[in-house]
């Protein structure tokens, strides 16, 4: 489990990042307030914030999408920069890449 706490130099804000699973959150650079649970969940995320990805490969290709909830095996796998999506269940929202404000169950 990786918990990162740090203060941004300019704003002095506390930012919490929680990742649990092999390569989860691997490429995160400036994204904040994310929770990635499961192998490869959120692995490509760079600057997306306020996301919750739970499950094997959930949100794997998300890079800049914000405020997404992906729960389930491969849920939201193809999402790159879509925001405000809720994908619940096995392969839900798998092929979404840029769509926003979607709900799939």
């Amino acid at each position: 489990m990786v918990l990162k706490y740090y203060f941004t130099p300019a704003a002095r804000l506390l930012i919490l990042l929680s990742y649990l699973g092999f390569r989860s959150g691997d490429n995160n650079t400036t994204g904040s307030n994310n929770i990635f649970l499961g192998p490869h969940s959120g692995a490509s995320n760079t600057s997306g914030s306020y996301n919750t990805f739970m499950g094997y490969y959930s949100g794997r290709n998300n890079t800049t999408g914000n405020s997404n909830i992906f729960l389930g095996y491969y849920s939201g796998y193809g999402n790159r920069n879509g925001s405000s999506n809720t994908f619940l269940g096995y392969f839900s929202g798998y092929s979404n890449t840029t769509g926003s404000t979607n709900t799939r169950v």
Side-chain angles (χ1 to χ4, degrees):
M1 178 174 208
V2 176
L3 291 175
K4 297 181 183 178
Y5 298 90
Y6 61 93
F7 288 93
T8 58
R12 298 280 189 228
L13 297 174
L14 179 65
I15 299 171
L16 169 66
L17 306 171
S18 297
Y19 311 136
L20 178 61
F22 180 73
R23 304 213 51 162
S24 65
D26 213 23
N27 293 304
N28 193 72
T29 53
T30 60
S32 63
N33 299 291
N34 293 306
I35 298 173
F36 302 148
L37 304 176
H40 300 276
S41 62
S44 295
N45 192 75
T46 55
S47 61
S49 297
Y50 301 99
N51 294 299
T52 301
F53 303 154
M54 299 175 74
Y56 188 77
Y57 277 89
S58 61
R60 165 63 175 90
N61 292 309
N62 189 75
T63 54
T64 60
N66 298 303
S67 304
N68 292 298
I69 300 172
F70 302 154
L71 306 177
Y73 186 84
Y74 278 90
S75 61
Y77 175 85
N79 192 74
R80 295 198 187 286
N81 58 4
S83 295
S84 301
N85 293 299
T86 302
F87 300 146
L88 308 175
Y90 185 78
F91 279 89
S92 59
Y94 178 88
S95 59
N96 185 71
T97 56
T98 60
S100 295
T101 64
N102 294 296
T103 299
R104 301 284 185 266
V105 179

